[in-house]
Amino acid sequence: MSLPHAILTALLEKPSSGLELTRRFDKSIGYFWSATHQQIYRELGKLEAEGLIRALPSAQPARGQKKSYEVLPAGRAELARWTAAAQDPKILRDPLLLRLRAAAVVGTAGLEADLRRHLQLHRRQLAEYQEIEERDFPPERDTPEDRLRHLVLRAGIDLETFWTQWLTHALAEFAELPGREREQG
């Protein structure tokens, strides 16, 4: 149920077309809630049918012209209701962790190299988040809205920090495993 709420959030921040929403998802919301172009357009249609958003009137009606959408009062109320509702944390489902568990019974072939690859990916993502933080959240940017947006970014930074530390530890454990073939990488 979170994609419609992600779209409502983005539209409340700035009325947008479906294409603009897709681009904004790629640059911000997509870091923690991804959606394809098709999913966004499908959801826009549903939200409009439910009376939560509306297409803004166009200055020049033309066939094939992109529609921009804004949130209606019912959409704002739905987002406020959803924001205030309690939700349990989601259980972590990560194939890498399951593969490590499986390696205990079938062997570790290929896994060390993939752990190294994951470490590099997480280091890159951490560096990107830190650049965003430095660029977009200087100390003087201290409005309540900015502080909440920064909290979301901090969650990403903290998660990537966790993964880089954990993967470093996992690779150190791999180095001490007896009876395994040493992988190059």
Side-chain angles (χ1 to χ4, degrees):
M1 189 60 158
S2 294
L3 179 56
H5 298 102
I7 291 172
L8 288 171
T9 299
L11 290 175
L12 278 170
E13 291 174 344
K14 179 182 177 190
S16 304
S17 69
L19 181 59
E20 291 165 338
L21 277 174
T22 299
R23 289 180 180 148
R24 288 175 56 210
F25 262 70
D26 289 344
K27 292 180 183 175
S28 62
I29 291 173
Y31 284 119
F32 56 90
W33 197 269
S34 63
T36 66
H37 188 73
Q38 293 83 5
Q39 288 172 315
I40 290 172
Y41 273 95
R42 190 171 36 245
E43 206 56 54
L44 284 169
K46 289 178 188 176
L47 290 168
E48 190 173 25
E50 292 170 8
L52 302 178
I53 64 171
R54 74 175 179 122
L56 292 169
S58 175
Q60 301 174 359
R63 189 176 180 151
Q65 185 177 10
K66 68 179 182 180
K67 289 188 209 177
S68 286
Y69 295 89
E70 70 177 355
V71 177
L72 295 171
R76 180 181 283 277
E78 168 53 23
L79 188 59
R81 182 208 60 77
W82 179 77
T83 301
Q87 277 190 345
D88 292 337
K90 298 287 183 207
I91 294 173
L92 176 64
R93 292 176 56 172
D94 191 302
L96 180 62
L97 299 177
L98 183 55
R99 289 171 54 220
L100 278 170
R101 181 70 182 249
V105 292
V106 298
T108 62
L111 206 46
E112 184 174 1
D114 204 36
L115 287 170
R116 290 184 194 289
R117 187 180 70 81
H118 276 251
L119 179 58
Q120 290 307 105
L121 292 170
H122 284 288
R123 282 180 175 158
R124 261 185 281 184
Q125 191 64 62
L126 177 58
E128 185 175 340
Y129 286 163
Q130 289 169 330
E131 287 174 21
I132 292 169
E133 182 179 43
E134 188 174 316
R135 181 190 69 223
D136 294 348
F137 294 100
E140 64 273 9
R141 232 179 130 177
D142 199 31
T143 67
E145 295 83 3
D146 285 331
R147 291 176 75 175
L148 291 173
R149 288 182 185 113
H150 192 195
L151 270 176
V152 174
L153 179 61
R154 282 300 321 169
I157 289 170
D158 292 347
L159 283 169
E160 294 303 329
T161 299
F162 160 77
W163 279 112
T164 57
Q165 291 172 348
W166 182 84
L167 285 159
T168 300
H169 176 77
L171 286 164
E173 287 289 325
F174 256 74
E176 296 180 14
L177 290 177
R180 67 171 184 82
E181 292 183 27
R182 179 109 178 119
E183 293 181 30
Q184 301 301 315

PDB file of all heavy atoms in Angstrom, residues 31-49:
ATOM      1  N   TYR A  31      15.413   5.945  -3.725  1.00  0.00           N
ATOM      2  CA  TYR A  31      16.476   5.387  -2.896  1.00  0.00           C
ATOM      3  C   TYR A  31      15.907   4.435  -1.837  1.00  0.00           C
ATOM      4  O   TYR A  31      16.592   3.547  -1.360  1.00  0.00           O
ATOM      5  CB  TYR A  31      17.261   6.490  -2.192  1.00  0.00           C
ATOM      6  CG  TYR A  31      18.226   7.213  -3.102  1.00  0.00           C
ATOM      7  CD1 TYR A  31      18.091   8.576  -3.331  1.00  0.00           C
ATOM      8  CD2 TYR A  31      19.279   6.545  -3.717  1.00  0.00           C
ATOM      9  CE1 TYR A  31      18.977   9.255  -4.149  1.00  0.00           C
ATOM     10  CE2 TYR A  31      20.165   7.207  -4.540  1.00  0.00           C
ATOM     11  CZ  TYR A  31      20.007   8.562  -4.754  1.00  0.00           C
ATOM     12  OH  TYR A  31      20.879   9.218  -5.571  1.00  0.00           O
ATOM     13  N   PHE A  32      14.644   4.671  -1.454  1.00  0.00           N
ATOM     14  CA  PHE A  32      14.068   3.798  -0.430  1.00  0.00           C
ATOM     15  C   PHE A  32      12.719   3.211  -0.832  1.00  0.00           C
ATOM     16  O   PHE A  32      12.210   2.329  -0.146  1.00  0.00           O
ATOM     17  CB  PHE A  32      13.951   4.519   0.924  1.00  0.00           C
ATOM     18  CG  PHE A  32      13.165   5.809   0.876  1.00  0.00           C
ATOM     19  CD1 PHE A  32      11.808   5.818   1.092  1.00  0.00           C
ATOM     20  CD2 PHE A  32      13.802   7.008   0.604  1.00  0.00           C
ATOM     21  CE1 PHE A  32      11.085   6.996   1.041  1.00  0.00           C
ATOM     22  CE2 PHE A  32      13.094   8.192   0.558  1.00  0.00           C
ATOM     23  CZ  PHE A  32      11.735   8.189   0.764  1.00  0.00           C
ATOM     24  N   TRP A  33      12.132   3.668  -1.939  1.00  0.00           N
ATOM     25  CA  TRP A  33      10.896   3.071  -2.435  1.00  0.00           C
ATOM     26  C   TRP A  33      10.899   3.190  -3.955  1.00  0.00           C
ATOM     27  O   TRP A  33      10.590   4.243  -4.495  1.00  0.00           O
ATOM     28  CB  TRP A  33       9.659   3.754  -1.852  1.00  0.00           C
ATOM     29  CG  TRP A  33       8.472   2.886  -2.045  1.00  0.00           C
ATOM     30  CD1 TRP A  33       7.608   2.887  -3.097  1.00  0.00           C
ATOM     31  CD2 TRP A  33       8.050   1.828  -1.190  1.00  0.00           C
ATOM     32  NE1 TRP A  33       6.686   1.899  -2.957  1.00  0.00           N
ATOM     33  CE2 TRP A  33       6.923   1.234  -1.782  1.00  0.00           C
ATOM     34  CE3 TRP A  33       8.510   1.323   0.009  1.00  0.00           C
ATOM     35  CZ2 TRP A  33       6.255   0.166  -1.205  1.00  0.00           C
ATOM     36  CZ3 TRP A  33       7.844   0.260   0.582  1.00  0.00           C
ATOM     37  CH2 TRP A  33       6.728  -0.300  -0.025  1.00  0.00           C
ATOM     38  N   SER A  34      11.230   2.108  -4.640  1.00  0.00           N
ATOM     39  CA  SER A  34      11.349   2.169  -6.087  1.00  0.00           C
ATOM     40  C   SER A  34      10.023   1.851  -6.762  1.00  0.00           C
ATOM     41  O   SER A  34       9.175   1.157  -6.204  1.00  0.00           O
ATOM     42  CB  SER A  34      12.437   1.210  -6.568  1.00  0.00           C
ATOM     43  OG  SER A  34      12.069  -0.110  -6.249  1.00  0.00           O
ATOM     44  N   ALA A  35       9.868   2.400  -7.965  1.00  0.00           N
ATOM     45  CA  ALA A  35       8.684   2.133  -8.778  1.00  0.00           C
ATOM     46  C   ALA A  35       9.060   2.366 -10.233  1.00  0.00           C
ATOM     47  O   ALA A  35       9.824   3.271 -10.552  1.00  0.00           O
ATOM     48  CB  ALA A  35       7.537   3.054  -8.383  1.00  0.00           C
ATOM     49  N   THR A  36       8.496   1.541 -11.105  1.00  0.00           N
ATOM     50  CA  THR A  36       8.739   1.712 -12.528  1.00  0.00           C
ATOM     51  C   THR A  36       7.817   2.802 -13.069  1.00  0.00           C
ATOM     52  O   THR A  36       6.814   3.178 -12.439  1.00  0.00           O
ATOM     53  CB  THR A  36       8.472   0.412 -13.303  1.00  0.00           C
ATOM     54  OG1 THR A  36       7.066   0.108 -13.212  1.00  0.00           O
ATOM     55  CG2 THR A  36       9.306  -0.749 -12.759  1.00  0.00           C
ATOM     56  N   HIS A  37       8.143   3.258 -14.256  1.00  0.00           N
ATOM     57  CA  HIS A  37       7.333   4.254 -14.949  1.00  0.00           C
ATOM     58  C   HIS A  37       5.886   3.757 -15.067  1.00  0.00           C
ATOM     59  O   HIS A  37       4.939   4.487 -14.786  1.00  0.00           O
ATOM     60  CB  HIS A  37       7.965   4.480 -16.329  1.00  0.00           C
ATOM     61  CG  HIS A  37       7.387   5.600 -17.113  1.00  0.00           C
ATOM     62  ND1 HIS A  37       7.615   6.915 -16.820  1.00  0.00           N
ATOM     63  CD2 HIS A  37       6.585   5.585 -18.210  1.00  0.00           C
ATOM     64  CE1 HIS A  37       6.992   7.682 -17.698  1.00  0.00           C
ATOM     65  NE2 HIS A  37       6.360   6.901 -18.550  1.00  0.00           N
ATOM     66  N   GLN A  38       5.727   2.470 -15.467  1.00  0.00           N
ATOM     67  CA  GLN A  38       4.391   1.896 -15.635  1.00  0.00           C
ATOM     68  C   GLN A  38       3.628   1.841 -14.313  1.00  0.00           C
ATOM     69  O   GLN A  38       2.425   2.109 -14.279  1.00  0.00           O
ATOM     70  CB  GLN A  38       4.481   0.485 -16.242  1.00  0.00           C
ATOM     71  CG  GLN A  38       4.977   0.444 -17.659  1.00  0.00           C
ATOM     72  CD  GLN A  38       6.513   0.487 -17.757  1.00  0.00           C
ATOM     73  OE1 GLN A  38       7.216   0.458 -16.751  1.00  0.00           O
ATOM     74  NE2 GLN A  38       7.017   0.563 -18.974  1.00  0.00           N
ATOM     75  N   GLN A  39       4.325   1.465 -13.230  1.00  0.00           N
ATOM     76  CA  GLN A  39       3.658   1.405 -11.927  1.00  0.00           C
ATOM     77  C   GLN A  39       3.165   2.791 -11.502  1.00  0.00           C
ATOM     78  O   GLN A  39       2.066   2.925 -10.970  1.00  0.00           O
ATOM     79  CB  GLN A  39       4.612   0.858 -10.867  1.00  0.00           C
ATOM     80  CG  GLN A  39       4.908  -0.608 -10.991  1.00  0.00           C
ATOM     81  CD  GLN A  39       6.010  -1.046 -10.045  1.00  0.00           C
ATOM     82  OE1 GLN A  39       7.038  -0.394  -9.921  1.00  0.00           O
ATOM     83  NE2 GLN A  39       5.780  -2.163  -9.373  1.00  0.00           N
ATOM     84  N   ILE A  40       3.989   3.810 -11.742  1.00  0.00           N
ATOM     85  CA  ILE A  40       3.602   5.173 -11.361  1.00  0.00           C
ATOM     86  C   ILE A  40       2.374   5.614 -12.150  1.00  0.00           C
ATOM     87  O   ILE A  40       1.401   6.128 -11.583  1.00  0.00           O
ATOM     88  CB  ILE A  40       4.785   6.148 -11.533  1.00  0.00           C
ATOM     89  CG1 ILE A  40       5.846   5.860 -10.467  1.00  0.00           C
ATOM     90  CG2 ILE A  40       4.313   7.605 -11.471  1.00  0.00           C
ATOM     91  CD1 ILE A  40       7.146   6.610 -10.627  1.00  0.00           C
ATOM     92  N   TYR A  41       2.369   5.397 -13.474  1.00  0.00           N
ATOM     93  CA  TYR A  41       1.220   5.802 -14.285  1.00  0.00           C
ATOM     94  C   TYR A  41      -0.044   5.033 -13.895  1.00  0.00           C
ATOM     95  O   TYR A  41      -1.133   5.599 -13.829  1.00  0.00           O
ATOM     96  CB  TYR A  41       1.517   5.627 -15.778  1.00  0.00           C
ATOM     97  CG  TYR A  41       2.187   6.850 -16.356  1.00  0.00           C
ATOM     98  CD1 TYR A  41       3.569   6.910 -16.446  1.00  0.00           C
ATOM     99  CD2 TYR A  41       1.445   7.955 -16.765  1.00  0.00           C
ATOM    100  CE1 TYR A  41       4.196   8.042 -16.956  1.00  0.00           C
ATOM    101  CE2 TYR A  41       2.059   9.086 -17.266  1.00  0.00           C
ATOM    102  CZ  TYR A  41       3.435   9.118 -17.363  1.00  0.00           C
ATOM    103  OH  TYR A  41       4.043  10.236 -17.851  1.00  0.00           O
ATOM    104  N   ARG A  42       0.091   3.733 -13.644  1.00  0.00           N
ATOM    105  CA  ARG A  42      -1.053   2.927 -13.226  1.00  0.00           C
ATOM    106  C   ARG A  42      -1.618   3.464 -11.906  1.00  0.00           C
ATOM    107  O   ARG A  42      -2.827   3.614 -11.737  1.00  0.00           O
ATOM    108  CB  ARG A  42      -0.621   1.461 -13.092  1.00  0.00           C
ATOM    109  CG  ARG A  42      -1.744   0.498 -12.889  1.00  0.00           C
ATOM    110  CD  ARG A  42      -1.311  -0.971 -12.971  1.00  0.00           C
ATOM    111  NE  ARG A  42      -0.001  -1.270 -12.436  1.00  0.00           N
ATOM    112  CZ  ARG A  42       1.038  -1.700 -13.169  1.00  0.00           C
ATOM    113  NH1 ARG A  42       0.929  -1.883 -14.464  1.00  0.00           N
ATOM    114  NH2 ARG A  42       2.195  -1.951 -12.604  1.00  0.00           N
ATOM    115  N   GLU A  43      -0.708   3.789 -10.969  1.00  0.00           N
ATOM    116  CA  GLU A  43      -1.146   4.294  -9.666  1.00  0.00           C
ATOM    117  C   GLU A  43      -1.771   5.682  -9.779  1.00  0.00           C
ATOM    118  O   GLU A  43      -2.724   5.990  -9.067  1.00  0.00           O
ATOM    119  CB  GLU A  43       0.043   4.310  -8.696  1.00  0.00           C
ATOM    120  CG  GLU A  43      -0.349   4.214  -7.260  1.00  0.00           C
ATOM    121  CD  GLU A  43      -1.196   2.987  -6.941  1.00  0.00           C
ATOM    122  OE1 GLU A  43      -0.807   1.865  -7.247  1.00  0.00           O
ATOM    123  OE2 GLU A  43      -2.283   3.176  -6.340  1.00  0.00           O
ATOM    124  N   LEU A  44      -1.240   6.531 -10.659  1.00  0.00           N
ATOM    125  CA  LEU A  44      -1.848   7.851 -10.877  1.00  0.00           C
ATOM    126  C   LEU A  44      -3.300   7.698 -11.320  1.00  0.00           C
ATOM    127  O   LEU A  44      -4.181   8.417 -10.840  1.00  0.00           O
ATOM    128  CB  LEU A  44      -1.055   8.653 -11.913  1.00  0.00           C
ATOM    129  CG  LEU A  44       0.259   9.254 -11.450  1.00  0.00           C
ATOM    130  CD1 LEU A  44       1.057   9.783 -12.640  1.00  0.00           C
ATOM    131  CD2 LEU A  44       0.032  10.351 -10.421  1.00  0.00           C
ATOM    132  N   GLY A  45      -3.554   6.748 -12.229  1.00  0.00           N
ATOM    133  CA  GLY A  45      -4.924   6.504 -12.682  1.00  0.00           C
ATOM    134  C   GLY A  45      -5.830   6.063 -11.548  1.00  0.00           C
ATOM    135  O   GLY A  45      -6.974   6.528 -11.429  1.00  0.00           O
ATOM    136  N   LYS A  46      -5.327   5.182 -10.700  1.00  0.00           N
ATOM    137  CA  LYS A  46      -6.117   4.714  -9.557  1.00  0.00           C
ATOM    138  C   LYS A  46      -6.390   5.852  -8.576  1.00  0.00           C
ATOM    139  O   LYS A  46      -7.517   6.003  -8.081  1.00  0.00           O
ATOM    140  CB  LYS A  46      -5.387   3.580  -8.824  1.00  0.00           C
ATOM    141  CG  LYS A  46      -5.332   2.279  -9.580  1.00  0.00           C
ATOM    142  CD  LYS A  46      -4.554   1.249  -8.778  1.00  0.00           C
ATOM    143  CE  LYS A  46      -4.292  -0.017  -9.542  1.00  0.00           C
ATOM    144  NZ  LYS A  46      -3.451  -0.952  -8.770  1.00  0.00           N
ATOM    145  N   LEU A  47      -5.354   6.630  -8.273  1.00  0.00           N
ATOM    146  CA  LEU A  47      -5.522   7.732  -7.320  1.00  0.00           C
ATOM    147  C   LEU A  47      -6.516   8.764  -7.849  1.00  0.00           C
ATOM    148  O   LEU A  47      -7.321   9.321  -7.093  1.00  0.00           O
ATOM    149  CB  LEU A  47      -4.168   8.395  -7.029  1.00  0.00           C
ATOM    150  CG  LEU A  47      -3.181   7.574  -6.220  1.00  0.00           C
ATOM    151  CD1 LEU A  47      -1.789   8.208  -6.242  1.00  0.00           C
ATOM    152  CD2 LEU A  47      -3.660   7.408  -4.782  1.00  0.00           C
ATOM    153  N   GLU A  48      -6.472   9.004  -9.160  1.00  0.00           N
ATOM    154  CA  GLU A  48      -7.418   9.951  -9.760  1.00  0.00           C
ATOM    155  C   GLU A  48      -8.833   9.378  -9.701  1.00  0.00           C
ATOM    156  O   GLU A  48      -9.780  10.088  -9.344  1.00  0.00           O
ATOM    157  CB  GLU A  48      -7.004  10.259 -11.197  1.00  0.00           C
ATOM    158  CG  GLU A  48      -7.794  11.404 -11.800  1.00  0.00           C
ATOM    159  CD  GLU A  48      -7.265  11.830 -13.158  1.00  0.00           C
ATOM    160  OE1 GLU A  48      -6.627  11.010 -13.866  1.00  0.00           O
ATOM    161  OE2 GLU A  48      -7.513  12.999 -13.519  1.00  0.00           O
ATOM    162  N   ALA A  49      -8.997   8.095 -10.005  1.00  0.00           N
ATOM    163  CA  ALA A  49     -10.315   7.449  -9.961  1.00  0.00           C
ATOM    164  C   ALA A  49     -10.892   7.453  -8.543  1.00  0.00           C
ATOM    165  O   ALA A  49     -12.107   7.544  -8.369  1.00  0.00           O
ATOM    166  CB  ALA A  49     -10.217   6.020 -10.494  1.00  0.00           C
TER     167      ALA A  49
END
